């Protein structure tokens, strides 16, 4: 058995996309782990199953499984990749509405050059408790100055003057901290100037990623909530910048999505 896929990335945060009705019946979690494996699969941070059977007013709906097999409500970069997938298939135009596990997301196509797209995406309103804008969390024998919030998925933004050498180990520990029974995404945030933050990402279910759409949104929102930054905010990631603005009650993200490959993944015999 095979699974047809398209590979795309949003600022080097990479995803495999398959039409839901083309996925063979079986253990989708096992399929996700196999297809996303960097050495024995195609390789990706997550697998998006895209359905044309979507709620009224939507061009499609998506379900995301991380590379470790865990489910995720949403990926900002992944949702842009899904929008590119739908536009490229002729199922959407300049305006794209996608149903996600975090609600319906509206994207506007700003630019297209072949298989490279740029979208303006409504990320919705962040959910945050006043007492968690500045919160102390202990991990790796140290206390960290963090902001806890939700931007469609849980985020822990760790504010640092410089990135610690062991930030990946700390990110892994925070992801699994008892404070987060369903785990959390972790971003390490360093202020550059009032409109720029430099960020490193440890994603729930995927580990280190070169960028993160929801992570960038959470980091920028946390910086603005703390008075560290002002809208608009450029989030500098190892893969390039993402732009976050706060308009009224809602956050918006501008960023790329690029389709890079199509193919078929042959399921291991143990999964057939």
């Amino acid at each position: 058995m095979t699974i047809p896929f398209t590979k795309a990335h949003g600022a080097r945060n990479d995803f495999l996309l398959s039409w839901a009705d083309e996925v063979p019946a079986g253990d989708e979690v096992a399929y996700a782990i196999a297809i996303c494996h960097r050495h024995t699969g195609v390789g990706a941070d997550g697998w998006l199953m895209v359905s044309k059977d979507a709620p009224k007013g939507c061009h499609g709906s998506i379900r995301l499984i991380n590379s470790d097999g865990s489910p995720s409500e949403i990926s900002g970069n992944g949702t842009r990749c899904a929008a590119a997938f739908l536009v490229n298939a002729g199922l959407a135009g300049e305006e794209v509405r996608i149903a996600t596990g975090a609600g319906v997301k509206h994207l506007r196509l700003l630019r297209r050059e072949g298989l490279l797209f740029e979208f303006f995406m409504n990320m919705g309103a962040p959910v945050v408790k006043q007492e968690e804008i500045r919160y102390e969390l202990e991990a790796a024998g140290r206390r960290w100055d963090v902001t806890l919030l939700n931007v469609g998925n849980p985020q822990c933004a760790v504010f640092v003057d410089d990135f610690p050498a062991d930030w990946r180990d700390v990110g892994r520990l925070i992801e699994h901290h008892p404070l987060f029974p369903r785990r959390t995404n972790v971003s390490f945030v360093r202020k550059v100037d009032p409109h720029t933050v430099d960020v490193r990402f440890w994603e729930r279910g995927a580990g280190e990623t070169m960028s993160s759409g929801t992570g960038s949104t959470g980091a920028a929102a946390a910086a603005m909530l703390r008075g560290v930054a002002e809208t608009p905010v450029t989030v500098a990631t190892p893969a390039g910048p993402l732009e976050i603005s706060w308009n009224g009650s809602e956050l918006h993200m501008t960023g790329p999505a690029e389709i890079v490959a199509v193919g078929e993944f042959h399921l291991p015999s143990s999964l057939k």
Side-chain angles (χ1 to χ4, degrees):
M1 291 190 296
T2 62
I3 298 176
F5 71 86
T6 293
K7 182 163 184 174
H9 72 95
R12 300 188 186 182
N13 188 192
D14 58 342
F15 300 87
L16 301 170
L17 303 99
S18 300
W19 294 115
D21 60 4
E22 294 182 353
V23 176
D27 187 346
E28 292 174 347
V29 169
Y31 293 173
I33 294 170
I35 198 171
C36 289
H37 197 284
R38 294 287 178 186
H39 301 292
T40 59
V42 182
D45 292 322
W47 182 36
L48 285 158
M49 283 171 280
V50 185
S51 176
K52 302 168 191 175
D53 183 17
K56 185 178 180 180
C58 292
H59 299 91
S61 62
I62 57 176
R63 188 155 60 91
L64 171 60
I65 303 180
N66 293 318
S67 59
D68 73 346
S70 61
S72 182
E73 303 89 343
I74 188 174
S75 162
N77 289 338
T79 303
R80 292 200 315 277
C81 290
F85 186 64
L86 289 165
V87 171
N88 193 57
L91 297 178
E94 290 187 3
E95 303 293 328
V96 189
R97 288 180 172 82
I98 300 176
T100 78
V104 175
K105 298 302 176 184
H106 178 203
L107 301 91
R108 185 170 73 249
L109 179 62
L110 300 178
R111 178 174 63 92
R112 178 179 184 178
E113 296 176 8
L115 295 177
L116 176 62
F117 303 75
E118 184 178 44
F119 291 99
F120 178 77
M121 178 177 173
N122 186 334
M123 297 296 291
V127 177
V128 61
K129 298 176 182 178
Q130 184 65 35
E131 64 270 23
E132 292 180 344
I133 294 176
R134 292 181 178 273
Y135 191 88
E136 278 199 355
L137 184 149
E138 187 169 345
R142 286 164 280 174
R143 301 192 69 83
W144 303 90
D145 180 21
V146 308
T147 295
L148 308 179
L149 71 164
N150 192 296
V151 292
N153 58 22
Q155 299 286 332
C156 177
V158 184
F159 285 81
V160 295
D161 294 327
D162 294 292
F163 299 119
D166 62 345
W167 71 266
R168 297 169 184 83
D169 296 328
V170 176
R172 183 183 297 106
L173 289 171
I174 293 177
E175 176 193 0
H176 294 275
H177 194 282
L179 185 63
F180 311 111
R182 298 182 62 192
R183 298 188 290 168
T184 189
N185 297 284
V186 187
S187 57
F188 292 83
V189 186
R190 183 181 70 86
K191 177 182 177 180
V192 177
D193 61 49
H195 291 285
T196 310
V197 291
D198 193 8
V199 184
R200 299 294 180 269
F201 304 97
W202 182 267
E203 289 215 308
R204 177 185 61 170
E208 179 184 2
T209 57
M210 296 188 72
S211 74
S212 168
T214 50
S216 294
T217 302
M224 288 186 274
L225 285 165
R226 296 166 70 106
V228 171
E230 303 171 0
T231 189
V233 177
T234 296
V235 179
T237 82
L242 290 172
E243 305 295 332
I244 309 295
S245 59
W246 200 329
N247 307 300
S249 63
E250 296 182 326
L251 295 159
H252 294 87
M253 173 176 57
T254 300
E258 184 176 19
I259 295 172
V260 297
V262 296
E264 288 185 337
F265 174 64
H266 295 267
L267 283 167
S269 57
S270 60
L271 298 180
K272 296 177 182 177

